Each structure stands twice: as C-alpha cells, then as structure tokens.
C-alpha cells in the first residue's frame, strides 16, 4: 500500500503497562499523543505514517508530469486540484507523525537521504495522458481500499488524518475513471492508449498491497495494535474483485490470461505480481527511483533560501512590533 | 531542523454558525502565512468561512493522567440531564 512492508519495532516495555495498553486498544479507545504508549507502537507509527506521507508527496510527481500537457483546460484544472489534494494529504499525515515526537524536517531529511521509503508505485513512469486515467482509477483505487479501514486505526491523529483524506479520495478515483471512459470510447488510437496504460499499471497496482501475508513477518503486532487493519492478500483480492468489472465496462482487458471468476470463493483467481521486481524497485532500481528522489532533493535544496528568508522576515517583523510596543 | 518554521494549530468555523473547530496543524513562518496556508490546506472544499491560527506552543492542554479527577465528578451528577426527571405526558411539551 502507500505504506508497504512496515517493519514493526520490538518493544521493551513494562509488561503490565503493555497489557493495560492492549486493553485500551481492544476496547476501541483512541490513543492520543500525550497518552502512554509502547516504544514499539510509537516507532512503528512514525515509520508507517511517515512513509504514507512521503508517498502522497512523491506521488505528486508522476501526475504533475502531465499538468502542462492536459488535453483541455478543464482536465488541467481537475488534475491540478487532484495533485494539490495529494500535497494536502501529505501535510495532514506529516502533522500526525509529528505528534509522535519527530520533526517535519527530520522526516523530510529521512526521505531525501533514503532512510525512509515511499510506495513502490510512484517509481513507475507516466508515459501518456491515459496514464492519468489509470493512476486515478487504479492507484487511488488501491489506496482507498487501504485507507478506508485505516480511518478506524487506534492512533487518534492518524485516524483523523485518514478521515479527511478519505473524504477527498473518491474524487481522485472518479476523475481517473472518467478519463478512462473517454479514452476507451474514443478513437482506435485512444483505445490503444487506454489499454496500454492498464497493461503497464495493473501489476504495479497489485504490488501496492505489499507481499503475501504468509511472508509479512511484521503484520501480527501491527494488527493487534490496530495500526494495520487488514491482511495484504485480503485487500488485494478485494481490489481485483472490484476492479475487473470496471475494466470490462470500459471494454478493456486486464493483462492476466489466468484471471478467472471462482464461484466457490466468490472472487477472482488471478496472477500475483512479480515480487522480484517489487523488491528490486524497493531497493532503488525501479524505472524512476533516481528521478523521483532527485526531484525531491532539488525542490528541498532550491527552497532553502525561501524557507530561511521567510523565517528571517518573520523575526524582523516580530522584533519591530516588540520595539513599537 | 535548525531553522524549522514553527507549528500552528488551525481552527475553522464552518458555514452554519458553529464554533471554530480544530482541524489540524501546519508550519508557517508567521501568522499571515499560517492563515494563507490554512486556507490552502484546510478549506479547499468550502469547509469554512473563518480561520483562527494559534502557535502550537501557546496551547495548554490537560494531562491524560488527570482524566479521573477532572471528569469523574460529573459522572455521578445525572440530575444535570433533563431525562433524569419524569414529567407526566399530560403536562405537555417541556
Ligand atoms: Fe492521497
Ligand atoms: Fe494518493
Ligand atoms: Fe488520491
């Protein structure tokens, strides 16, 4: 998902306090920043919320790529609004992470020097306008699948950020699907572009949910702390079951020859993504890893004088105001 | 990190005469920029007609360990709720 393979941190806390904490979680209490919490809970959350925030921010790049080349003024305004929302999502989440005792600049620096990750999906390129459709439809669609249950997560600030985000996310998916409908019902060339976008985005989208639960060593603790709400395979299945009919409606073919409805399980059988490719992308070898991190680093470095200048200006104004009093 | 913009808490009043409500926080160099950023981050869909920003370090908060002493006393005072009193239907609206 936006937060993939979050390693949960070991906790060495007083067992009595830990047990009392678990009772609160099980009772559905929200944990707030000033409440006692296990060190592992705090650290795992910083990593997870941070990775989620970074994904929203880096996720602006593949779509930002098409803003100046949107086919109409209306599409341009819509895409701009969508990308601006993603900046907002990043900010809501950074704020939630900061309540756990990490600063915004620390989080940013950990992204920029590679200590923290962002979702693998944003290391794939957006080659044609149809990719704007496929990203909204599939990538935001997969994100929604994971974010809706996270509204009930145990950490109050995270849960509140997710509630805000979910309110805005459905616009993202629908504008993407709207682009796909237009392309799929357009000229032969447009239809080919739509199919090509689906072909390239399908498996990377399935990767967003992370590796199979059987291989996710860290899920259990996060599940009992209600930091992670569902298994990876469960969400991936749900995504496939929801998305295949949507592809059929578009008259497009999901690029999986083994995709088949399974009556007994009431869901589709499908081919999983290539996990070697997934791990390779996580290691930094995806098609766009270098470009994405370079863009973020450049923005941070180029903005340094603005951040410092505005801070100096604010201090000068404060001093002048004090002197006038 | 060395020179991070301070943190501001943001409160928004919605359309229908409700009180300002805490919606989140953000970083800004000064109050003017905090209001501009709040407008961009928290009112993209007509969520508000008025914005308050407060430097986060100016917020004093109760401590979780005081929950008992602060809120338990009101638990036993059920007579503060109108439903505590049985008024016969014949009395009419009250
Ligand atoms: Fe988002
Ligand atoms: Fe997103
Ligand atoms: Fe989105």
């Amino acid at each position: 998902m936006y937060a993939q393979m979050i390693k949960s941190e070991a906790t060495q806390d007083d067992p009595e306090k830990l047990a009392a904490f678990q009772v609160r979680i099980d009772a559905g209490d929200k944990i707030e920043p000033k409440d006692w919490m296990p060190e592992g809970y705090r650290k795992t959350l910083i990593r997870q919320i941070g990775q989620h925030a970074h994904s929203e921010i880096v996720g602006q790049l593949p779509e930002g790529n098409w803003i100046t080349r949107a086919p109409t003024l209306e599409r341009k305004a819509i895409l701009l609004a969508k990308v601006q929302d993603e900046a907002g999502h990043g900010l809501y989440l950074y704020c939630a992470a900061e309540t756990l005792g990490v600063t915004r600049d620390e989080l940013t620096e950990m992204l920029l020097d590679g200590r923290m990750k962002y979702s693998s999906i944003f290391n794939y390129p957006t080659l044609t306008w149809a990719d704007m459709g496929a990203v909204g439809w599939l990538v935001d669609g997969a994100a929604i699948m994971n974010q809706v249950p996270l509204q009930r997560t145990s950490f109050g600030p995270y849960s509140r950020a997710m509630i805000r985000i979910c309110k805005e996310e459905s616009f993202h998916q629908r504008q993407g699907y709207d682009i796909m409908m237009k392309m799929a019902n357009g000229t032969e060339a447009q239809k080919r572009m739509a199919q090509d976008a689906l072909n390239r985005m399908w498996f990377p989208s399935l990767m967003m949910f992370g590796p199979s639960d059987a291989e996710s060593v860290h899920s259990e603790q996060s599940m009992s702390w209600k930091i992670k709400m569902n298994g990876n395979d469960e969400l991936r299945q749900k995504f496939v079951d929801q998305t295949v009919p949507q592809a059929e409606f578009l008259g497009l073919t999901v690029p999986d020859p083994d995709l088949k409805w399974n009556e007994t399980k009431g869901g589709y059988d499908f081919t999983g993504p290539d996990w070697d490719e997934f791990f390779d992308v996580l290691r930094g070898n995806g098609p766009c890893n270098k470009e994405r991190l370079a863009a973020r680093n450049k923005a941070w470095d180029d903005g340094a004088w603005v951040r410092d200048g505005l801070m100096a200006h604010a201090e000068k104004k404060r001093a002048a105001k004090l002197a006038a009093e | 990190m060395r020179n991070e913009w301070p943190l501001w808490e943001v409160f928004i009043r919605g359309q229908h005469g409700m009180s300002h409500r805490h919606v989140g926080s953000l970083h800004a160099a000064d109050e003017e920029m905090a209001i501009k950023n709040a407008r961009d981050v928290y009112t993209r869909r007509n969520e508000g007609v008025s914005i308050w920003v407060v430097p986060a370090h100016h917020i004093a908060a109760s401590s979780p360990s005081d929950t008992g002493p602060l809120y338990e006393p009101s638990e036993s005072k059920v007579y503060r709720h109108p439903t505590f009193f049985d008024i016969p239907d014949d009395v009419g609206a009250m």
Side-chain angles (χ1 to χ4, degrees):
Chain A
M1 193 16 55
Y2 274 18
Q4 293 157 325
M5 308 220 18
I6 299 301
K7 179 168 165 285
S8 58
E9 295 276 350
T11 250
Q12 284 151 336
D13 293 285
D14 176 359
E16 232 168 80
K17 277 185 165 174
L18 264 180
F21 182 77
Q22 193 60 51
V23 168
R24 288 194 63 194
I25 302 262
D26 294 341
D29 266 17
K30 288 283 181 246
I31 308 302
E32 295 297 335
K34 290 171 96 188
D35 295 353
W36 183 87
M37 62 184 79
E39 241 349 84
Y41 179 85
R42 179 189 304 276
K43 285 188 185 154
T44 308
L45 268 175
I46 289 176
R47 180 173 296 166
Q48 176 168 333
I49 302 173
Q51 183 172 322
H52 195 156
H54 298 326
S55 299
E56 303 284 354
I57 296 300
V58 177
Q60 294 178 99
L61 294 170
E63 288 179 300
N65 179 35
W66 280 92
I67 290 174
T68 57
R69 291 173 289 163
T72 68
L73 188 56
E74 187 183 55
R75 290 286 185 203
K76 182 177 187 164
I78 292 170
L79 184 58
L80 201 55
K82 198 264 186 195
V83 172
Q84 194 190 9
D85 273 355
E86 303 300 3
H89 296 178
L91 298 183
Y92 308 153
L93 287 160
Y94 281 133
C95 288
E98 285 176 85
T99 66
L100 291 160
V102 63
T103 71
R104 176 77 58 93
D105 283 4
E106 278 165 352
L107 288 166
T108 304
E109 279 162 11
M110 285 192 273
L111 166 69
L112 296 182
D113 67 19
R115 270 175 295 159
M116 284 182 98
K117 300 281 177 215
Y118 54 89
S119 176
S120 57
I121 188 74
F122 301 118
N123 290 312
Y124 290 87
T126 46
L127 302 177
T128 74
W129 173 254
D131 289 10
M132 295 304 94
V135 166
W137 170 36
L138 301 172
V139 176
D140 289 85
I144 290 170
M145 210 107 256
N146 174 262
Q147 288 169 346
V148 166
L150 273 176
Q151 293 177 102
R152 291 179 286 110
T153 184
S154 61
F155 186 55
Y158 192 24
S159 151
R160 292 189 283 274
M162 287 326 310
I163 290 169
R164 285 194 78 86
I165 288 174
C166 284
K167 270 194 200 146
E168 301 178 349
E169 218 44 273
S170 152
F171 148 55
H172 298 178
Q173 193 183 18
R174 292 172 75 127
Q175 64 84 35
Y177 197 72
D178 190 61
I179 293 174
M180 290 308 270
M181 286 197 295
K182 197 87 188 173
M183 306 280 294
N185 294 310
T187 63
E188 271 312 308
Q190 285 176 310
K191 221 175 285 179
R192 268 200 310 276
M193 280 166 73
Q195 181 63 54
D196 168 63
L198 172 57
N199 290 350
R200 283 181 290 105
M201 293 294 172
W202 177 254
F203 286 109
S205 298
L206 296 187
M207 291 177 194
M208 287 176 68
F209 299 93
S212 176
D213 297 318
E215 286 147 53
S216 308
V217 249
H218 301 286
S219 299
E220 225 168 283
Q221 179 60 270
S222 286
M223 291 269 232
S224 65
W225 277 339
K226 292 190 190 159
I227 290 175
K228 189 178 168 67
M229 307 301 286
N230 306 82
N232 297 347
D233 293 324
E234 175 193 353
L235 288 175
R236 188 166 19 246
Q237 180 72 53
K238 219 174 142 194
F239 175 75
V240 171
D241 292 345
Q242 178 184 292
T243 309
V244 170
Q246 295 168 351
E248 282 167 359
F249 180 85
L250 294 170
L252 300 179
T253 311
V254 172
D256 177 359
D258 296 325
L259 183 82
K260 218 175 95 223
W261 178 255
N262 179 333
E263 192 61 53
T264 26
K265 84 169 178 190
Y268 286 91
D269 290 330
F270 60 95
T271 309
D274 175 353
W275 293 113
D276 290 337
E277 176 184 324
F278 170 77
F279 287 112
D280 208 37
V281 171
L282 282 198
R283 273 193 297 269
N285 303 321
C288 299
N289 295 58
K290 293 200 177 65
E291 189 185 326
R292 302 291 185 238
L293 265 190
R296 290 313 306 152
N297 271 288
K298 183 175 186 314
W300 182 248
D301 294 341
D302 289 355
W305 70 272
V306 180
R307 293 192 300 276
D308 292 345
L310 284 168
M311 204 56 202
H313 176 69
E315 261 147 34
K316 206 171 84 183
K317 257 193 352 190
R318 230 181 332 263
K321 205 175 146 200
L322 263 178
E325 271 169 15
Chain B
M1 206 175 304
R2 297 128 315 258
N3 201 16
E4 193 173 280
W5 287 350
L7 190 67
W8 301 73
E9 298 300 332
V10 181
F11 300 80
I12 305 272
R13 179 152 56 76
Q15 311 271 353
H16 306 292
M18 305 293 279
S19 317
H20 283 78
R21 226 183 96 203
H22 182 245
V23 292
S25 46
L26 51 77
H27 289 269
D30 59 22
E31 58 267 29
E32 198 187 326
M33 183 185 187
I35 288 175
K36 280 186 185 144
N37 287 357
R39 176 254 194 200
D40 286 345
V41 180
Y42 292 107
T43 67
R44 287 195 303 281
R45 287 176 176 75
N46 278 320
E47 288 94 335
V49 294
S50 167
I51 298 171
W52 287 351
V53 293
V54 183
H57 69 269
H58 281 176
I59 303 242
S62 63
S63 143
S65 58
D66 287 342
T67 306
L70 286 177
Y71 312 115
E72 263 163 30
S74 76
E75 277 171 22
S76 56
K77 298 176 179 56
V78 281
Y79 44 79
R80 281 178 169 153
H81 298 279
T83 45
F84 178 75
F85 304 94
D86 267 329
I87 305 289
D89 287 348
D90 293 343
V91 178
M94 183 178 281

